[in-house]
Amino acid sequence: MTMMVNLSVAVVVIAIRLALSHALSTPHRYCLAQCAANDCCHDQLYSGENFSTWTYVVQDTRQPAQDDDITLVTFGTLNRLATFERTRQRWDGPIVYVIPIYVHTAELKEAAATTILSLKDKVYPKTLVIVIYISHVDDFYSTRFRREKQDPTANALLPLNTLRNIALDLADTLYVFPLDLDFVPSGEVYAALQGLLPTIHRIPRAAIVLPNFESLDCDNPDVPATFGELHRSLMAGRVRPFFAEAQELIPNAPPAIQLGSTLCFEEHPDFARGVNLTNYGRWLNESSQGLQGFFKIHTELKASIPSLKTDTAWESFAVLRKEDIDGYQLPRYREGFVGRYFDKISFLVDLRAQAYNFYTLRQHLVTHVPHRRTQSGTVPHYEFLNKAMKKLFDNEKRELQATVRRTRKEIVANWKGMDLEARRLVESGTVLGSTEGGTAH
């Protein structure tokens, strides 16, 4: 295939950036297909040492990496390109955008070549755009999915967490912001985070969370650029916390008004437990007062089985450090999760089990941009995938009991080495009334 020729310049760029990456002392291996539950197909395990054989660098317009920078990392198919372009307008820092493209038939290969040519006509500042070729067809989960769907031509299920790991590894900055492609950040969030980095850098295993909302209008979605815009849309019932009734999380919030098609969003969502730890009520109240900075949220896990069974649904997006101040490496997304269900939650549970300190960033947010769904998202052929991914997740939680116990000891050791001011920062976060301020008590 002509698009897979040896791209020496692009490969050199990738090699340099991988060498600079804090998380890649040696190249990782990436699983693009599972041959059994959580068992990678041998011929679908690819190395970061030979990116040019299974990827294509469309463009890399990033500047030389700075340690005190933050890369937004995302992935997604080209049907969400317009949402990516909106994110590119909002985020002033570097971005890594990983695009999976199916190439398992001659027709798809030809279409992929055309797609790449069209992408090369677009130039995005400070952005790495890289295509990942998806050539497998008969992997463990996709074969079952086609059988359940009764559609032998359906595309393979995407290896979501593998794509996330690739995007993270290609970021050459110390800080990263993993964000799904169908979410758009508010404006000025990059500048706000840049100003807070000296404070964030003092906190071991810091995770700075942006509350996630969803717009409810498919035809003319509200995608707030500021807190003020979010507040107006929230009070008008045009946006709500992601997949949750606003009244469950925010005092005095109005009900969502009926907008767009019922195939665009769930009329009565029941996933408040998936976002409640973010503390929307406090975020809204303090942001309304003009406060900036971030506040501590309590996401600790207990080692007991009941806690790991009931307290693990939280799903959020957070700014993270690839290598911590004590040399601790950011955990990787578990690549056994494919298609959908529990893929991001499993990563958050890993972070929580390993004693990450979570904080909610005031004034800023991310918004899910809706797209019209087909009935396929609600019919039975997804049920088997939900059960299969939940089984992986349950196995993960059992493994994490020992991790939770071990990290408790690490917390005690780290705490003893902190001065009083650092302890207050870890416990409470920071509150700023303007560009100047101090630590919250």
Side-chain angles (χ1 to χ4, degrees), residues 78-149:
L78 284 171
N79 63 339
R80 303 295 278 168
L81 183 62
T83 307
F84 164 75
E85 291 177 342
R86 186 176 289 190
T87 292
R88 178 63 281 179
Q89 293 172 354
R90 295 270 182 93
W91 182 263
D92 292 331
I95 292 181
V96 172
Y97 176 22
V98 172
I99 306 173
I101 294 183
Y102 294 103
V103 292
H104 57 271
T105 67
E107 293 78 9
L108 288 172
K109 290 178 182 177
E110 184 176 349
T114 302
T115 296
I116 288 175
L117 285 176
S118 67
L119 281 172
K120 290 178 74 68
D121 292 335
K122 298 175 179 288
V123 179
Y124 304 109
K126 304 180 185 177
T127 303
L128 168 62
V129 180
I130 185 168
V131 167
I132 307 298
Y133 300 115
I134 306 295
S135 59
H136 64 278
V137 179
D138 299 320
D139 60 278
F140 178 70
Y141 292 111
S142 297
T143 300
R144 174 75 183 276
F145 181 76
R146 292 191 190 93
R147 186 165 64 247
E148 295 283 344
K149 191 177 182 181

Side-chain angles (χ1 to χ4, degrees), residues 69 81 88 93 148 192 195 199-200 224 236 245 249-250 277 347 421:
D69 210 345
L81 183 62
R88 178 63 281 179
E148 295 283 344
T199 301
I200 297 171
E245 297 284 8
L249 301 171
I250 301 173
L277 294 182
F347 179 67
E421 183 180 355

Side-chain angles (χ1 to χ4, degrees), residues 8-298:
S8 58
V9 175
V11 173
V12 168
V13 170
I14 292 295
I16 291 172
R17 293 193 182 280
L18 286 175
L20 290 172
S21 172
H22 289 266
L24 282 179
S25 55
T26 57
H28 288 287
R29 293 165 70 85
Y30 307 96
C31 181
L32 293 184
Q34 304 286 323
C35 277
N38 206 25
D39 183 11
C40 186
C41 301
H42 179 73
D43 63 347
Q44 291 294 323
L45 190 62
Y46 293 87
S47 171
E49 295 178 322
N50 59 348
F51 264 95
S52 62
T53 64
W54 55 286
T55 71
Y56 184 93
V57 179
V58 178
Q59 61 179 271
D60 190 354
T61 58
R62 296 174 295 172
Q63 301 300 312
Q66 302 291 326
D67 263 358
D68 59 346
D69 210 345
I70 310 165
T71 298
L72 188 151
V73 297
T74 190
F75 79 94
T77 52
L78 284 171
N79 63 339
R80 303 295 278 168
L81 183 62
T83 307
F84 164 75
E85 291 177 342
R86 186 176 289 190
T87 292
R88 178 63 281 179
Q89 293 172 354
R90 295 270 182 93
W91 182 263
D92 292 331
I95 292 181
V96 172
Y97 176 22
V98 172
I99 306 173
I101 294 183
Y102 294 103
V103 292
H104 57 271
T105 67
E107 293 78 9
L108 288 172
K109 290 178 182 177
E110 184 176 349
T114 302
T115 296
I116 288 175
L117 285 176
S118 67
L119 281 172
K120 290 178 74 68
D121 292 335
K122 298 175 179 288
V123 179
Y124 304 109
K126 304 180 185 177
T127 303
L128 168 62
V129 180
I130 185 168
V131 167
I132 307 298
Y133 300 115
I134 306 295
S135 59
H136 64 278
V137 179
D138 299 320
D139 60 278
F140 178 70
Y141 292 111
S142 297
T143 300
R144 174 75 183 276
F145 181 76
R146 292 191 190 93
R147 186 165 64 247
E148 295 283 344
K149 191 177 182 181
Q150 299 181 358
D151 180 4
T153 65
N155 282 330
L157 297 168
L158 286 175
L160 305 181
N161 280 354
T162 300
L163 298 172
R164 290 187 174 102
N165 282 335
I166 293 170
L168 282 172
D169 291 343
L170 290 173
D172 54 10
T173 56
L174 181 58
Y175 289 90
V176 289
F177 180 28
L179 185 66
D180 283 3
L181 191 59
D182 46 1
F183 284 82
V184 175
S186 52
E188 306 300 326
V189 63
Y190 173 75
L193 288 165
Q194 281 277 346
L196 290 166
L197 280 186
T199 301
I200 297 171
H201 197 72
R202 300 178 59 196
I203 302 173
R205 304 186 192 182
I208 310 301
V209 173
L210 275 71
N212 45 335
F213 290 84
E214 63 178 342
S215 178
L216 300 180
D217 191 341
C218 274
D219 300 319
N220 186 27
D222 289 24
V223 187
T226 65
F227 172 76
E229 290 181 11
L230 176 281
H231 191 271
R232 288 190 291 273
S233 294
L234 179 68
M235 292 300 108
R238 295 181 60 87
V239 301
R240 67 186 176 199
F242 184 68
F243 217 64
E245 297 284 8
Q247 302 96 316
E248 292 188 58
L249 301 171
I250 301 173
N252 303 318
I257 60 176
Q258 297 303 302
L259 293 167
S261 166
T262 56
L263 288 181
C264 182
F265 59 89
E266 295 288 340
E267 284 191 76
H268 303 291
D270 60 354
F271 199 54
R273 67 187 186 282
V275 293
N276 63 345
L277 294 182
T278 304
N279 200 337
Y280 284 78
R282 179 176 176 181
W283 175 84
L284 187 71
N285 179 51
E286 295 185 0
S287 296
S288 297
Q289 298 175 39
L291 299 181
Q292 301 180 43
F294 49 85
F295 58 85
K296 181 69 177 284
I297 50 179
H298 296 286

